Amino acid sequence: DAKTTQPTSMDCAEGRAANLPCNHSTISGNEYVYWYRQIHSQGPQYIIHGLKNNETNEMASLIITEDRKSSTLILPHATLRDTAVYYCIVRVAHQAGTALIFGKGTTLSVSS
Amino acid sequence: EPEVTQTPSHQVTQMGQEVILRCVPISNHLYFYWYRQILGQKVEFLVSFYNNEISEKSEIFDDQFSVERPDGSNFTLKIRSTKLEDSAMYFCASSDGQGRYNEQFFGPGTRLTVL
């Protein structure tokens, strides 16, 4: 089973920041937080991951609390194309070949 | 940008028939995966494959399923005798296993419909 808890759905206005929360209170010291998204039944797409420091790439920012029990994915300027299901997953990064365990994720709806 | 490809995009079959779903992973990747997603449900892990062996599999991946890398480029999932409940989107993924991230790159999926 997924080790994370996410809200079922969120809405965001186009151009605004989308902040997607995730709780992972049982995360282990060697587990990373990964975010993937799935746009309308396409294959899931990697977004970002982090261990304990905040991370930023061209797609998003990831803020992890100091106790690592929760995190927030930030899409700084959401567009209609960001409408998707967003999955927060915890896993050990260096274990190649291990499964991604998907939960139900958060359905983000971006509207104009 | 390199990508994972899958064929066919949609497969319709009769219950009890064998199907083979095909995937071409990203060329320098070493780890290969199959996932499935029944309509309206979660993405579920089926199997991972490395060095011509299964490295991990889920409870879903029973004797009806098998995987193979028949040549240097293709990775296949075979379902021996399809059931109605096998109807789902099947996603192939690959990862390089070399870097820090081990991010998995997914293909567009094959929609399997069992009648």
Side-chain angles (χ1 to χ4, degrees), chain A residues 34 36 38 49 93 97 100, chain B residues 33 35 37 48 56 101-102 104:
Chain A
Y34 280 75
Y36 281 75
Q38 187 178 26
H49 82 286
L100 290 169
Chain B
Y33 314 80
Y35 292 80
Q37 186 174 33
S48 61
E56 186 180 1
Y101 311 131
N102 286 314
Q104 294 180 21

Side-chain angles (χ1 to χ4, degrees), chain A residues 4-109:
Chain A
T4 62
T5 304
Q6 300 178 251
T8 302
S9 62
M10 295 185 66
D11 295 319
C12 181
E14 190 176 22
R16 298 284 193 172
N19 297 285
L20 293 92
C22 178
N23 286 320
H24 31 79
S25 58
T26 61
I27 192 169
S28 302
N30 63 346
E31 286 182 318
Y32 287 65
V33 180
Y34 280 75
W35 284 82
Y36 281 75
R37 72 179 182 184
Q38 187 178 26
I39 298 172
H40 189 55
S41 296
Q42 297 177 21
Q45 176 190 23
Y46 166 82
I47 300 173
I48 198 168
H49 82 286
L51 181 63
K52 53 184 176 182
N53 297 321
N54 298 337
E55 302 286 346
T56 296
N57 64 18
E58 65 279 2
M59 289 183 70
S61 295
L62 175 60
I63 309 297
I64 302 173
T65 57
E66 194 168 338
D67 63 8
R68 303 211 319 123
K69 292 185 178 182
S70 66
S71 60
T72 301
L73 178 75
I74 301 171
L75 307 179
H77 306 286
T79 70
L80 298 178
R81 288 177 296 179
D82 291 322
T83 293
V85 181
Y86 287 78
Y87 301 99
C88 172
I89 299 169
V90 296
R91 67 190 291 254
V92 179
H94 298 290
Q95 283 186 347
T98 57
L100 290 169
I101 305 302
F102 290 84
K104 295 184 178 179
T106 296
T107 299
L108 175 68
S109 300

Side-chain angles (χ1 to χ4, degrees), chain B residues 12-85:
Chain B
V12 180
T13 190
Q14 295 291 326
M15 189 169 57
Q17 295 295 305
E18 174 184 288
V19 294
I20 298 175
L21 310 183
R22 290 182 168 80
C23 168
V24 179
I26 294 173
S27 63
N28 63 340
H29 284 187
L30 303 176
Y31 292 84
F32 315 112
Y33 314 80
W34 284 101
Y35 292 80
R36 79 171 186 190
Q37 186 174 33
I38 296 170
L39 186 63
Q41 298 188 23
K42 299 184 294 186
V43 177
E44 300 174 291
F45 169 76
L46 294 178
V47 66
S48 61
F49 191 83
Y50 170 72
N51 198 26
N52 282 321
E53 289 184 346
I54 290 173
S55 53
E56 186 180 1
K57 62 181 181 179
S58 71
E59 291 178 354
I60 303 168
F61 194 87
D62 61 21
D63 292 343
Q64 292 295 322
F65 293 90
S66 63
V67 289
E68 191 179 30
R69 188 153 162 83
D71 54 43
S73 59
N74 290 284
F75 179 51
T76 62
L77 174 69
K78 181 192 291 186
I79 309 175
R80 266 182 261 288
S81 178
T82 50
K83 307 179 195 127
L84 296 177
E85 53 265 37

